[in-house]
Amino acid sequence: MMFHRSADVAALLDRLLAVPVGARVTWGDLSDTLGRDASARRHLVYAAMRIALREHGAVFASIRDVGYQRLEPKLAVREIGYVSRRGIARRARRA
């Protein structure tokens, strides 16, 4: 089965890949790319980020209320691991 990318996902993918390592892309930038509110269409942003990771090795971390930051691939494992461990610990304390 062959999946086709929508024009919105392709535009977001191009925008995400244009972000240099260490730089941020804001929700405003993503909304400008779409021509609509990107935060209301997060599924398109998530799809573009999955493709960026799978096909180009581009890793992004969420920055609350700002957007996303492109991580250096070597540091991404350490950063994502730390964030995941912290979240798991927080959820475990609440349970």
Side-chain angles (χ1 to χ4, degrees), residues 21-86:
V21 173
R24 296 178 178 179
V25 60
T26 65
W27 282 107
D29 295 336
L30 297 173
S31 294
D32 290 343
T33 300
L34 277 179
R36 301 184 302 274
D37 182 21
S39 63
R41 291 163 182 83
R42 291 175 189 253
H43 63 284
L44 298 173
V45 177
Y46 297 153
M49 285 195 304
R50 279 193 307 271
I51 294 167
L53 175 60
R54 183 177 62 234
E55 295 181 3
H56 303 279
V59 180
F60 292 88
S62 176
I63 301 174
R64 180 179 240 162
D65 295 331
V66 175
Y68 295 95
Q69 180 174 7
R70 186 166 179 178
L71 301 177
E72 185 176 337
K74 292 178 184 177
L75 298 177
V77 174
R78 185 175 62 207
E79 288 293 320
I80 292 172
Y82 171 73
V83 171
S84 296
R85 286 191 308 268
R86 191 175 63 192

